[in-house]
DNA sequence: AAGTGGTCTAGACCACCGT
DNA sequence: CGGTGGTCTAGACCACTTC
């Protein structure tokens, strides 16, 4: 059973994406939402706060709750982090598994993953293709003590769905280091770009709820297609 | 008079940065914080929630509030958005104002800034230098109806401090589009890089609390020095 | 079982926006 | 001024971690 405020977030999010409020550009007042969902004002405000932090809306004291009209599609959202399916609706997303194997963590990797040297780790190399365009190369490491099993079948569809829905693990948070660099030879080859073309790189460290690291990855994006969208709040 | 939860956020943030909790890696329990600050648990939790979203801490049910040990210095934080002074403490930050003038918005700019064609707009070109290294080129537009006055003196120090402290405007939120591209000729020249070197680009649209756009800008970063840090929460 | 965070309520009062 | 969001309280009960 999910929390009430989460159900309200999901419902309002769906309504916004469906364009239910496009004509007026506003949500109902907090008071009305309280009546609609039959919960306390605190619970409504909790849901509203989450939708604000996701970049969907903003509140103006004395005035109301307004829809934030940003282009939410076609860019990688740094807010929702729900994967390509959410960011690229109605687009053909393909994942080619180049390589998948179990290796032992050397000193450098062990330091990054905060695990012991020699820990078994899945190393996965994937090429992502969207609408037929090469989009990104992913070089990922998963701690096998946390993710006990992985295969090409899973890597081809969605590793995250597998972790969340099948392994029932709680993903907590992630550090993302974002920068530009020159393409390396291997990534350039797979992405169909020239060496020394620009690359948009993201180094990820992903933690479970309890603070343990289960994934470290480097994602090299095709600069011609990949753009990140950050909806910031002050 | 600032809100209680904001004062608590500031105090705990300072304590964390001062290393007060480094030895144990944990914050006191919510109950203890309630006693320390003499507020309700709801207020403590509001402060804790903000510190979580800023990436300082994470909570584990049944266990406690833990410090999130990420390198918070030397990278541009996509969370705090408090400017270079916060992101690069104890570093020498210099801003060279290349150009500052008032122009009239053409159709394209008017669309971006959601203002009328012909609206007076400040156009500011700045080169940012950190510790003697060329860091970024900023090409910014400010709506003169909202920012009535601007000069080289202000642009040389901090336009944001001026807007917040002197004009007393409430900055609300910002859209940031992040991507990699090849350097253009002008930026390459100022940054001391070659054309076709990679560039880390951010297109910003910045809104006041009430949803009005006061700034649109393009920032071209030196790929050798600029890295963005995003602390995400699921 | 005890400790600690997660969810939720009902209600009060304040601050800002628009008419 | 009425409408609407912002802050804050006191307390209840649940869920997870740790021992």
């Amino acid at each position: 059973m999910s929390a009430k405020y989460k159900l309200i977030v999901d419902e309002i999010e769906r309504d916004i994406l469906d364009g239910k409020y496009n004509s007026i550009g506003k949500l109902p007042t907090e008071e009305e939402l309280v009546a609609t969902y039959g919960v306390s004002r605190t619970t409504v405000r909790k849901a509203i706060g989450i939708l604000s932090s996701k970049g969907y809306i903003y509140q103006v004291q004395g005035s109301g709750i307004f829809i934030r009209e940003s282009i939410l599609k076609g860019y990688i959202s740094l807010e929702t982090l729900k994967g390509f399916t959410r960011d690229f609706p109605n687009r053909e997303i393909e994942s080619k598994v180049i390589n998948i194997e179990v290796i032992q963590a050397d000193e450098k990797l062990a330091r990054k993953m905060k695990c012991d040297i020699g820990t078994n780790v899945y190393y996965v190399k994937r090429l992502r293709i969207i609408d037929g365009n090469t989009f990104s190369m992913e070089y990922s490491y998963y701690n096998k003590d946390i993710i006990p099993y992985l295969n090409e079948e899973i890597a081809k569809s969605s590793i995250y769905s597998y972790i969340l829905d099948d392994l029932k693990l709680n993903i907590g948070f992630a550090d993302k280091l974002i920068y530009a660099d020159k393409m390396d030879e291997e990534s350039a080859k797979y992405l169909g770009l020239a060496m020394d073309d620009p690359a948009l790189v993201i180094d990820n460290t992903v933690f479970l709820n309890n603070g343990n690291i289960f994934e470290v990855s480097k994602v090299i994006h095709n600069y011609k297609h990949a753009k990140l969208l950050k909806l910031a709040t002050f």
Side-chain angles (χ1 to χ4, degrees), chain A:
Chain A
M1 176 56 184
S2 201
K4 286 185 187 178
Y5 75 87
K6 285 184 185 163
L7 299 174
I8 296 174
V9 166
D10 289 345
E11 187 155 340
I12 296 180
E13 187 175 11
R14 220 177 312 123
D15 287 343
I16 291 174
L17 293 174
D18 286 351
K20 180 170 174 180
Y21 303 113
N22 279 0
S23 50
I24 35 174
K26 293 182 68 168
L27 252 56
T29 65
E30 293 185 353
E31 197 181 14
E32 288 170 315
L33 293 171
V34 164
T36 302
Y37 295 105
V39 296
S40 71
R41 191 172 158 223
T42 312
T43 300
V44 162
R45 281 183 62 76
K46 172 117 186 171
I48 292 300
I50 290 171
L51 289 164
S52 294
S53 73
K54 285 191 175 189
Y56 287 112
I57 56 175
Y58 62 95
Q59 288 184 280
V60 180
Q61 189 169 15
S63 187
I65 307 169
F66 298 86
I67 307 285
R68 193 159 153 187
E69 37 180 302
S70 300
I71 316 122
L72 291 165
K73 289 164 190 166
Y75 304 112
I76 300 171
S77 167
L78 288 175
E79 253 57 53
T80 49
L81 296 171
K82 289 287 174 63
F84 284 117
T85 317
R86 182 64 140 280
D87 294 331
F88 300 95
N90 313 316
R91 309 276 280 277
E92 198 193 330
I93 300 159
E94 193 188 341
S95 298
K96 274 195 183 154
V97 182
I98 310 288
N99 181 41
I100 179 166
E101 62 182 316
V102 176
I103 62 168
Q104 278 74 47
D106 61 14
E107 196 209 321
K108 190 178 162 195
L109 184 58
R111 198 169 344 107
K112 277 192 193 172
M113 301 190 80
K114 293 207 200 319
C115 66
D116 296 328
I117 294 174
T119 302
N120 284 328
V121 170
Y122 275 106
Y123 176 41
V124 181
K125 217 187 278 187
R126 290 195 295 182
L127 170 64
R128 301 288 208 135
I129 298 168
I130 297 182
D131 276 351
N133 296 312
T134 59
F135 194 82
S136 62
M137 271 297 291
E138 288 182 11
Y139 303 87
S140 313
Y141 299 88
Y142 298 93
N143 187 328
K144 196 166 183 303
D145 290 344
I146 301 175
I147 315 288
Y149 182 70
L150 213 54
N151 64 15
E152 183 169 341
E153 183 67 23
I154 296 165
K156 205 174 171 183
S157 54
S158 170
I159 293 178
Y160 270 57
S161 300
Y162 170 66
I163 290 173
L164 291 168
D165 302 336
D166 298 322
L167 298 182
K168 307 275 185 207
L169 293 173
N170 293 309
I171 300 177
F173 47 93
D175 293 357
K176 291 172 170 286
L177 196 59
I178 302 164
Y179 53 97
D181 205 344
K182 293 180 182 176
M183 274 282 163
D184 64 278
E185 190 174 351
E186 179 178 357
S187 301
K189 189 188 77 180
Y190 282 114
L191 293 171
L193 294 172
M195 264 193 73
D196 294 349
D197 264 352
L200 179 64
V201 186
I202 306 184
D203 289 343
N204 295 291
T205 306
V206 193
F207 301 75
L208 294 181
N209 243 357
N210 61 14
N212 290 327
I213 297 171
F214 72 93
E215 174 190 345
V216 164
S217 61
K218 183 186 284 285
V219 186
I220 315 270
H221 295 87
N222 184 333
Y223 78 105
K224 291 183 179 170
H225 298 118
K227 296 195 174 191
L228 315 177
L229 183 63
K230 161 77 187 168
L231 301 172
T233 309
F234 288 83

